[in-house]
Amino acid sequence: KYFVLTADIDLSGVSGSEFAKNGGSLVGIDKQLASTSANVFINLDGNGYALKGLNVEIASGNAASIFGTLNEKSSIRNLKIEKPVMKSASAEMADIALVATVNKGTVSGVTVTYPVLTAEKAMNAAFIVAENNGTVSDVTVRGTHTNLSAASVENHTISATGNVGAV
């Protein structure tokens, strides 16, 4: 339930199928479980360390993010996510984001550098959270990708057919 990083984590070996196996998240809680059980939550203090090397294409599922759904007791703090690439061509994809698809908890002190997020059919796409009903504070998104053709939000590459945002 409570985790503190003590080093960077290399996600370069992660495949898109691992997101589908875990309800659309790499680590975390699916939407139904987070909504029905207040005793299931995650609190991560990144302690200034980074998640690095994420480069996945997600072929199936209706949501995708690293941490899934964050309920009222959940928090992600003091974390860096460096050069993440997340792509989805799933026709069922409703929400895609790097940190959480749904946030009812707290996301604070998160820095994302050089992100690429592509979701051709998603309703909601964002670098931090796709649907926010909680607290998002002190987040930073940095970097540009000039070699990609897609919609641009403040020089960060993000592409989707629905709602698009940096947060």
Side-chain angles (χ1 to χ4, degrees):
K1 293 182 183 183
Y2 295 94
F3 303 94
V4 178
L5 294 186
T6 58
D8 292 342
I9 296 176
D10 181 2
L11 299 176
S12 62
V14 172
S15 70
S17 63
E18 292 178 59
F19 284 80
K21 289 180 199 174
N22 196 27
S25 65
L26 182 59
V27 178
I29 306 165
D30 72 26
K31 193 172 189 174
Q32 182 177 357
L33 184 59
S35 298
T36 59
S37 178
N39 294 322
V40 178
F41 58 92
I42 183 171
N43 285 293
L44 173 70
D45 182 346
N47 202 24
Y49 290 102
L51 304 179
K52 298 179 175 185
L54 181 68
N55 189 339
V56 294
E57 183 165 340
I58 301 164
S60 65
N62 65 1
S65 66
I66 295 171
F67 297 103
T69 296
L70 302 176
N71 64 14
E72 291 84 356
K73 290 184 174 181
S74 297
S75 66
I76 306 297
R77 301 177 189 275
N78 308 316
L79 180 67
K80 297 176 187 173
I81 304 173
E82 297 180 359
K83 299 180 182 178
V85 177
M86 186 181 287
K87 300 175 185 176
S88 172
S90 171
E92 309 91 42
M93 188 68 65
D95 299 317
I96 185 169
L98 292 171
V99 176
T101 50
V102 177
N103 176 44
K104 294 181 181 179
T106 301
V107 176
S108 178
V110 174
T111 300
V112 179
T113 56
Y114 296 98
V116 175
L117 182 65
T118 305
E120 296 176 14
K121 309 211 186 268
M123 294 186 330
N124 301 301
F127 289 127
I128 306 299
V129 298
E131 295 179 42
N132 185 45
N133 297 302
T135 301
V136 176
S137 64
D138 192 28
V139 299
T140 304
V141 179
R142 292 189 190 124
T144 61
H145 289 278
T146 56
N147 61 338
L148 298 173
S149 60
S152 179
V153 178
E154 295 183 20
N155 295 323
H156 313 288
T157 304
I158 187 169
S159 174
T161 56
N163 297 321
V164 176
V167 176

